[in-house]
């Protein structure tokens, strides 16, 4: 979860690298650094902390560079410090790295036995030494790749410069993302497309065990075995201004407010205009093939796992097929029972989460049909899937996932409808009615966003809560989990989500006057089971209230009974069962956002976290 960037070309290297690192800072921000090569030397600038500090440090660096590399770090080996900051330089080699070298300790012993001095606590520096040993033995960068990578175990992406080949950058990829931005008058290397999008939309994604020699006018892509690859140049459909804050104080608030548009674009790309016909573009499997599946397995992490839990409700209700949901980090260790009649779905906003990618590979080894639901076109998880479902949320920069979550839910809803139609458990008219509900949703979301000021004010009074519990029943339970994750990850307050019915089996022991319980209770009218659910949630609310806990209820507009029982109430538009998770998510996001702002937290880059967890 570090951000790496390289540039070789005619533009000012310092600004290209610093701007790129600012776009990558959400991947990690413990320390940062840049190395610039001019005609005489390599100049190294490294700081503990943010890119802004690095920019200050480089203010005087006005020389003309020929090539440069940069890095923003999420510490894995070694504390956040200047000594451990990248780039690492030894001998002829200057290197930045994203990933983890699992056998770095034995390699470190080996090179120190050769008399080499290791200056940092990082695994990355060891790789720089290994490359330098090869260069000192008169190998070229290209020749060094095979021998060095043959010694490494783990996931990595490197970008490095050699004093012996000053006009080239070497990019090496195995298990962590690395792409080439093909520009006019120069070429870029980066962990993520955000870093280069303002310069070029022409992107070449490197695959595992590939490396690229990147000059200012040409790139050469090869496999580790030396076989040259004809690079596939993708032209992305994201615009550069989508990666700015557009006047919002934080990316997270911008992305919360982008949800109606994200939903509209996601629908437009999956439903034929006019005919309102569900296409679910990207699902390569035919209805006949979909009809052969006897189980669905959904695997993800974090917020994407919460989306998977909602997807289970949709698919089991509309397609009457059993759904298993797993954390990706657990999936591989339970020896999942999958085969060619399993539809395996992997959900990942970034498309780069290492645990989810590893789980996808496991499912394919077990002959399951592997589909993915991602927000980044061309990401690693997408490229290794049999089918790719795309959310059209646009770039999501804030570490706390918001618009990706609700657009994930919309695609899962469409997938459930498609499976229901393919399996004959949904009639055409039923599917049309359900599809119409989703089409109405962007308008309802806009109304819920109108709660922002109320929630902003409300959080001032709730700030003193030392413990937050979120509870919901049925399809609202995953939303309770998501609300708790949003709050904890950006405010650092202790927050947990539970099924409302579980409170009396332990969590209620935590309730006291210093606690706030967020109660989700917005079941649609007319469905007796869900109306009963409402009665049970009200009972759970009373149990909390009887023990002095504060209640923040999120329910349907006009539910005066629920409002009367609560210390604070947020009313959302009445909606169907299927739409309620999307509608209820927005108050959860806004609650977390405004609480974090009032606590003075770094909303877009919360401590200890990164946007894309590319290590297992
Ligand atoms: C969500 O707000 C967190 N940033 C985190 O839990 C995230 O959902 C998780 O790391 C999965 O990321 P992915 O969707 O990119 O795979």
């Amino acid at each position: 979860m570090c951000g790496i960037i390289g540039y070789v070309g005619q533009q000012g290297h310092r600004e290209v690298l610093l701007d790129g690192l600012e776009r990558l800072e959400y991947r990690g921000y413990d320390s940062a650094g840049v190395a610039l090569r001019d005609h005489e030397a390599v100049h190294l600038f490294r700081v503990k902390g943010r890119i802004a500090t690095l920019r200050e440090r480089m203010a005087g660096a006005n020389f003309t560079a020929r090539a440069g590399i940069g890095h923003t770090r999420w510490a894995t080996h070694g504390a956040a410090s200047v000594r451990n900051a990248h780039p690492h330089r030894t001998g002829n080699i200057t290197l930045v790295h994203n990933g983890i070298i699992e056998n770095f300790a034995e390699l470190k012993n080996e090179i120190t036995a050769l008399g080499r001095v290791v200056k940092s606590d990082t695994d990355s520096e060891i790789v720089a030494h290994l490359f330098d040993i090869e260069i000192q033995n008169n190998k070229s960068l290209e020749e060094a790749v095979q021998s060095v990578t043959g010694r490494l175990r783990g996931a990595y992406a490197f970008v490095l410069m050699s004093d012996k080949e000053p006009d080239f950058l070497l990019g090496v990829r195995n298990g962590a993302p690395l792409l080439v931005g093909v520009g006019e008058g120069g070429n870029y290397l980066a962990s993520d497309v955000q870093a280069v999008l303002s310069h070029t939309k022409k992107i070449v994604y490197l695959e595992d065990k590939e490396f690229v020699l990147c000059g200012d006018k040409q790139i050469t892509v090869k496999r580790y075995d030396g076989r040259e690859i004809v690079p596939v140049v993708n032209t992305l459909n994201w615009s550069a201004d989508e990666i700015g804050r557009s006047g919002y104080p934080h990316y997270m608030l911008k992305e919360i407010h982008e949800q109606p548009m994200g939903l509209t674009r996601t629908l437009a790309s999956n439903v034929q205009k006019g005919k309102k016909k569900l296409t679910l573009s990207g699902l390569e499997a035919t209805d006949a093939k979909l009809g052969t599946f006897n189980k669905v397995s959904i695997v993800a992490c974090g917020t994407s796992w919460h989306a998977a839990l909602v997807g289970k409700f949709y698919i089991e209700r509309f397609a009457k097929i059993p759904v298993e949901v797993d954390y990706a980090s657990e999936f591989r260790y339970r020896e999942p029972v999958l085969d060619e009649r399993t539809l395996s779905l992997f959900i990942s906003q970034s498309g780069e989460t290492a645990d989810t990618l590893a789980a996808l590979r496991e499912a394919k080894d077990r002959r399951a049909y592997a589909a993915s639901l991602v927000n980044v076109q061309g990401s690693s998880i997408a490229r290794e899937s049999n089918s790719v479902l795309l959310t059209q949320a646009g770039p999501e920069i804030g570490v706390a996932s918001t618009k990706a979550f609700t657009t994930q839910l919309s695609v899962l809803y469409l997938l459930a409808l498609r499976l229901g139609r393919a399996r004959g458990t949904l009639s055409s008219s039923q599917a049309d009615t359900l599809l119409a509900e989703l089409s109405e949703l962007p308008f309802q979301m806009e109304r819920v966003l109108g709660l922002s000021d109320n929630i902003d004010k409300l959080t001032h009074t709730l700030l003193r809560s030392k413990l937050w519990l979120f509870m919901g029943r049925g399809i609202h339970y995953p939303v309770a989990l998501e609300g708790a994750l949003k709050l904890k990850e950006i405010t650092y307050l202790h927050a947990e989500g539970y099924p409302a019915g579980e409170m009396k089996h332990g969590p209620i022991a935590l309730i006291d006057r210093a606690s706030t319980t967020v109660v989700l209770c917005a079941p649609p009218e007319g469905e007796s089971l869900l109306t009963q659910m409402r009665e049970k949630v009200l009972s759970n609310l009373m149990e909390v209230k009887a023990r002095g806990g504060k209640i923040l209820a999120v329910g349907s507009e006009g539910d005066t009974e629920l409002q009367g029982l609560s210390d604070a109430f947020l009313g959302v538009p009445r909606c169907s069962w299927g739409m309620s998770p999307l509608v209820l998510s927005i108050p959860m996001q806004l609650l977390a956002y405004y609480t974090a702002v009032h606590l003075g937290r770094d909303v877009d880059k919360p401590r200890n976290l990164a946007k894309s967890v590319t290590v297992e």
Side-chain angles (χ1 to χ4, degrees):
M1 302 87 57
C2 300
I4 53 182
I5 185 167
Y7 175 62
V8 53
Q10 320 304 327
Q11 290 184 63
H13 287 67
R14 183 184 64 183
E15 286 314 309
V16 167
L17 296 173
L18 287 172
D19 287 348
L21 286 178
E22 279 165 355
R23 304 273 187 209
L24 291 173
E25 201 170 21
Y26 64 90
R27 296 175 62 87
Y29 25 88
D30 295 330
S31 60
V34 160
L36 293 174
R37 167 198 302 290
D38 62 11
H39 289 270
E40 278 80 42
V42 171
H43 306 269
L44 206 49
F45 306 86
R46 300 188 299 175
V47 297
K48 180 180 175 185
R50 297 295 169 83
I51 307 301
T53 310
L54 179 62
R55 188 178 282 279
E56 282 166 22
R57 178 68 56 78
M58 295 184 72
N62 296 316
F63 46 82
T64 305
R66 304 161 70 178
I69 57 178
H71 185 273
T72 182
R73 184 171 182 242
W74 187 85
T76 52
H77 292 78
S81 64
V82 172
R83 192 163 70 97
N84 291 331
H86 302 214
H88 290 285
R89 178 160 172 76
T90 179
N92 298 285
I93 294 294
T94 313
L95 172 140
V96 291
H97 164 224
N98 174 31
I100 286 185
I101 305 301
E102 290 167 1
N103 60 327
F104 95 100
E106 65 192 75
L107 294 170
K108 180 174 181 177
N109 293 337
E110 193 181 301
I111 62 171
T112 42
L114 294 174
R116 296 194 72 107
V117 177
V118 176
K119 293 169 281 196
S120 77
D121 310 320
T122 67
D123 51 349
S124 313
E125 186 194 349
I126 306 309
V127 181
H129 282 280
L130 293 175
F131 269 101
D132 188 48
I133 290 166
E134 299 300 321
I135 303 303
Q136 304 249 8
N137 291 333
N138 298 319
K139 289 239 182 97
S140 69
L141 276 175
E142 177 174 342
E143 290 162 338
V145 170
Q146 197 155 26
S147 45
V148 172
T149 55
R151 316 288 318 281
L152 305 178
R153 276 203 321 275
Y156 54 80
F158 307 124
V159 176
L160 54 93
M161 303 192 287
S162 164
D163 298 351
K164 297 284 178 67
E165 296 174 72
D167 296 321
F168 283 92
L169 297 179
L170 174 70
V172 184
R173 182 221 151 112
N174 187 41
L178 189 63
L179 57 86
V180 183
V182 182
E184 302 293 326
N187 292 307
Y188 310 78
L189 289 168
S191 316
D192 196 322
V193 72
Q194 330 273 4
V196 301
L197 200 57
S198 56
H199 304 292
T200 179
K201 293 184 182 179
K202 293 182 177 173
I203 304 297
V204 173
Y205 291 97
L206 292 184
E207 300 289 350
D208 284 350
K209 298 191 184 333
E210 286 183 354
F211 65 89
V212 59
L213 276 172
C214 189
D216 62 346
K217 294 184 179 59
Q218 76 291 327
I219 65 170
T220 304
V221 179
K222 292 191 174 181
R223 305 271 309 155
Y224 283 4
D225 62 13
R227 190 161 38 91
E228 186 156 348
I229 306 281
V230 177
V232 174
V233 181
N234 301 276
T235 302
L236 289 192
N237 60 7
W238 279 351
S239 64
D241 65 15
E242 284 186 289
I243 56 178
R245 275 208 299 258
S246 311
Y248 283 91
H250 300 99
Y251 278 109
M252 183 178 176
L253 188 60
K254 171 188 175 218
E255 290 154 8
I256 289 171
H257 284 269
E258 284 179 331
Q259 292 182 99
M261 176 51 73
L263 205 77
T264 302
R265 291 196 318 204
T266 300
L267 276 175
S269 68
N270 288 295
V271 178
Q272 262 178 1
K273 283 190 179 48
K275 298 194 193 96
K276 291 199 181 307
K277 185 172 179 321
L278 171 60
T279 55
L280 206 59
S281 57
L283 184 61
E284 304 300 325
T286 62
D287 280 2
K289 170 75 175 166
L290 292 175
T292 65
F293 294 126
N294 62 6
K295 175 166 79 171
V296 175
S297 158
I298 313 179
V299 179
C301 300
T303 285
S304 297
W305 180 77
H306 297 151
L309 292 176
V310 177
K312 174 181 169 74
F313 279 96
Y314 288 155
I315 294 169
E316 290 187 341
R317 180 164 173 143
F318 298 141
K320 305 289 184 254
I321 185 170
V323 179
E324 293 173 353
V325 175
D326 282 275
Y327 278 120
S329 54
E330 289 295 306
F331 177 72
R332 299 158 66 198
Y333 305 110
R334 69 172 183 84
E335 300 199 6
V337 178
L338 308 176
D339 59 27
E340 60 282 350
R341 297 194 63 199
T342 306
L343 169 58
S344 270
L345 177 64
F346 299 87
I347 306 177
S348 175
Q349 186 284 130
S350 62
E352 297 299 345
T353 298
D355 286 323
T356 309
L357 180 58
L360 185 151
R361 290 168 177 166
E362 176 79 19
K364 288 178 74 174
D365 288 349
R366 295 169 183 264
R367 302 192 321 282
Y369 184 90
S372 60
L373 171 51
V374 300
N375 193 43
V376 180
Q377 179 187 9
S379 55
S380 301
I381 288 171
R383 295 206 309 280
E384 296 198 22
S385 304
N386 300 116
S387 283
V388 181
L389 304 178
L390 274 179
T391 49
Q392 302 290 348
E396 186 177 74
I397 310 293
V399 165
S401 187
T402 51
K403 62 180 182 174
F405 178 64
T406 47
T407 48
Q408 285 168 353
L409 297 190
S410 68
V411 177
L412 287 162
Y413 186 85
L414 295 174
L415 175 62
L417 299 186
R418 175 78 186 276
L419 283 170
R421 292 289 297 124
R423 294 170 48 82
T425 54
L426 266 188
S427 69
S428 173
S429 64
Q430 284 171 320
D432 290 348
T433 304
L434 292 166
L435 193 52
E437 286 173 12
L438 192 55
S439 309
E440 285 303 304
L441 195 64
F443 308 105
Q444 291 171 316
M445 288 178 128
E446 286 292 359
R447 284 178 53 197
V448 183
L449 287 167
L451 290 171
S452 295
D453 289 348
N454 291 3
I455 294 172
D456 183 2
K457 293 188 186 75
L458 182 61
T459 49
H460 278 295
T461 58
L462 295 173
L463 279 183
R464 284 180 295 283
S465 299
K466 292 288 173 279
L467 167 72
W468 290 74
L469 295 179
F470 291 73
M471 68 177 192
R473 279 183 185 257
I475 202 168
H476 297 170
Y477 163 47
V479 182
L481 294 175
E482 176 59 10
L485 176 60
K486 287 284 96 50
L487 191 75
K488 77 175 77 168
E489 73 175 316
I490 63 173
T491 67
Y492 320 148
L493 295 172
H494 182 196
E496 298 303 335
Y498 287 101
E502 268 302 295
M503 291 294 282
K504 53 189 173 299
H505 298 285
I508 202 164
L510 296 171
I511 300 298
D512 60 20
R513 295 189 180 289
S515 68
T516 293
T517 299
V518 179
V519 180
L520 301 178
C521 183
E525 289 163 346
E527 299 200 27
S528 62
L529 181 65
L530 299 174
T531 306
Q532 286 169 35
M533 184 176 90
R534 179 179 180 283
E535 301 311 322
K536 287 193 168 59
V537 172
L538 290 184
S539 303
N540 301 136
L541 180 155
M542 297 303 287
E543 290 154 9
V544 171
K545 201 171 174 65
R547 288 157 178 83
K550 275 197 286 307
I551 303 284
L552 165 55
V554 187
S556 301
E557 286 164 345
D559 188 340
T560 50
E561 181 186 15
L562 178 62
Q563 184 168 7
L565 292 171
S566 312
D567 299 285
F569 176 77
L570 294 169
V572 298
R574 293 187 181 281
C575 61
S576 68
W577 170 82
M579 297 301 99
S580 58
L582 290 101
V583 168
L584 288 170
S585 299
I586 295 179
M588 299 297 101
Q589 296 162 357
L590 291 168
L591 178 68
Y593 173 77
Y594 285 111
T595 304
V597 168
H598 298 323
L599 289 172
R601 304 294 193 232
D602 192 331
V603 173
D604 288 327
K605 303 186 204 72
R607 71 182 182 194
N608 304 343
L609 294 176
K611 181 63 179 174
S612 175
V613 182
T614 55
V615 292
E616 288 187 44

